[in-house]
Amino acid sequence: MASTELNWLHLSDLHWGDASSMFLWSQVEDEFYTDLEKVHEMAGPFDVVIFSGDLTNRGTKEEFDALIIHLQDLFKRLKELGSENVKFLCVPGNHDLVRHDCDEADTLASWFSNEKIRKRFFNEPKSRTRLYINERFENYKNFLTSCDLPFPDDINYGVIPGDFSAVIKKGECRFGLIGLNSAFLHLSDDANKYNIAVDVNQFNGVCADQSTQRWCNENTINMLVTHHPPEWLADGSTEVHKFFKSDIAPSGRFHAHLYGHVHETKSTIISVGGGKYRREFQGISLFGLEKINGETKRIHGYSAGKVIIKDGQGRIRWWPRIRNKKDDESYVIERDITFHLKEDGGYFESDIFDVKKCISDTPPPKSTNTCSKYSAVTEVIGRETVIAGVITLLKDTNRRLITLLGPPGIGKTTIASVIASVFKDKVNPDFKDGVYCCSCQGIEAKDSLTATISSVVTNNPDTNENILFAWLENKECLLILDNFEDTLADRANVESFIEKLLEQASGVKLLITSRESINLAGIEKVVSVETLTREYSERLISKLADDLTFTVYLKTGDLNALLVELGDVPLAIVLAASNLVLGVDYLTKELQKQNIDVLTKCGIKIEDTTKDKCVAKSFLLSYSKIKDNNERLLFHICSLFPTGLTEADAQEILPALKPKNYASLISKSLISCPYKGTYTMLALMQTYAYGMFKKMSAKSKKYKVIVARWIDLCVRKSIEYYKTPRGKGTRAINELIKEFPDMFRVLDYLILRSEKDSFWEILFNLVDFSRFAGITKEVMTFLEKARQIAETAGDITNQARCIRSIGDINFRESRNKEAMESYNKALPLYKQVGDILGEANCIKGLGLCVIKDNQTDMGIEEVFKAIKLYAQINDKHSTGEAYTELAHVLEEIEGFQEKAIEYKKTGEEILNSIERAM
């Protein structure tokens, strides 16, 4: 097999425009072109010139304009040498931007320590810092558009000026090059490797229509170009620096990394811990002048390289060139003898490495499989039982119509594709005339369905119904109709069509995938497709991550929490896997914020995305089929109760509901009824529906009525949570724990509303119960959010209540230090508003903490200070509880058991007297 090569010329750090030294360039230029002829014979013809930054000295328009003339001359000479199709790629260096001190520069100085600055920069294209960076590189951007140099045809530009991805195709190989602007934070002369970096969002943003990792996977070879060296980009202590080697350039992703900046030349090929090799090639300065001990040191050189692909393996050859002084005081650019180079070629050769299988631009031959809609599926996870069951049904002579029924994204199409591949052979005894697959997406009338099926089975879309039936009459085939729910907009006619087809074409069997059953009694066999079990969900996302080389991302977050949000829905898992570079925990948080658009196929705009690439689009199509107003309201009300909507609660919120409304949503696979009188939704569909509800409730009067009834219901339910720890509850603790998520849902809704009374009531009713039941994590989260809101609103009382409640939870969970910090923060706030009860509660809490801190006498004294304050406001209940809690703590301390018994008795007497008085 012949080899395929990508040959490059690597230039760096020209610093064009330094008036104090440019007069020296003419001599270096002659030496450069003289040596280039020799290198071209060994390493050429070149496919690409790669310039790794510092093209100019100060990034001015004048410098770039002058540079263009010299670069055009370079390309002219390269063509004369035989590099006819050479392309140009470059990244900017720290000399290629115009520096300007201002507030935005000061803000960006906090890049590494302030995550909000980074998020705003990448999420808000018109943010002040983003616009500032664009302005700093304005001359560089204009250079790219006006230089008239031959950039690759397949090139995309990224988020920051200078970021790009490009593909150069040679033979059957794709050579991918990614350039990242590492200089955008180099905003002052004192920049160093501790405040320079590239961001993972740059890497994720360089491919316009897909994830960057997927783009890399499609290439035979991948190369990275930056201005700054990898040790500058990875060796800092910040999270941003750490991402470089883990998320941007993990070992094995790039076959070579080209860079400059340091002016000297270096190559590094290293494997850490037995991992894949990193190959790093530092470009020497083409025109570098440095002051060392007061003297100017001149450094000039360049390098060339080629990657050679043959028989599924690759290797890199690298020609480092440097300007040396000869004995006669003259200078010449020649091989850099500081490297161990091949004597016969003057190059350094890398290790041999495996490469991806070469691709071809030639379209594959047309498949003879009539089921061309489906690609071959070699492995399915968690669907083996369903597939085997459907295959058995299709072999049953008494079964003619099988419907795979399930909600959007559940995997019906995937299951059908596996079954199609099983039966695709036309000589198969079960279906000797083959398998035909039709997508019914968007087909909403019987005549359109007829035309679609005719187009697939007869290759004539103009065939009418009778001719189609006659053509199928003597055929023994399987007809798969995917996304059949769309056709049911014309239900009566479509049902009649299906019945006639089965009657007149006795050898035809139908396999339908649909979100809604056809309801042909005695004919249709419905096979429900459920969500995956958690075990299979984990296996699926692990397999997908492995295929995408994203496995590393699964280890950096709470995968189970993400799968909970995804609801074990296969489509959601597939799309989440392609976005794992964003981080497991990031995806989880975005879904918790009802941002399911994060599951759009990476790099694709939602409005341009089909339903198999965007969960939101898929759900919207199902929602659009709800025509009845009460059913739409019911759909959204279901989203308000994550643990399940009881019929009693539904009727209280929307009294007009009828049994047919529930049945209709069930038939459309939008809700289910796992047990009588309770209705649930897919977790992810619930997230989608709740997101819609929040938007609609802000605009619609009808929804505002629903909101008021829902909140009133939840306030009344929350009272049970308040009563239970006090022994006055009427419901089982397990039932209350199970419904905790319903309370969190209403808190989530109320937290952003201006009217907060219901929010505070529900929240603090839950606080005591959460401590009592030992489920405090979510409550702590809401308490912290609530504290921030109270602080912003100047609500000192509720701010103090939140902080003190956090302290109580920390104390109960033996985090003594954190509890004391909370009590000490809340205490002055209570004093500020004159809340004696709150003040006493904080002092009591501090006293109990002090006792646990082995200062027992001092702690008892503090608790009695609190008891005096309770007495001052005649709060006997708090007094009794203080004695009881004090006794409980003292029981564990040697020498204080008698006091514990005494205080316990006192507390019980006070609380019992209150009971008797009531």
Side-chain angles (χ1 to χ4, degrees), residues 633-666:
L633 289 170
L634 176 59
F635 176 77
H636 289 122
I637 292 170
C638 274
S639 74
L640 306 180
F641 295 86
T643 62
L645 172 67
T646 66
E647 205 165 309
D649 288 344
Q651 295 299 139
E652 185 166 340
I653 295 172
L654 186 60
L657 284 172
K658 300 289 190 291
K660 66 178 183 179
N661 301 134
Y662 301 97
S664 177
L665 292 190
I666 291 172

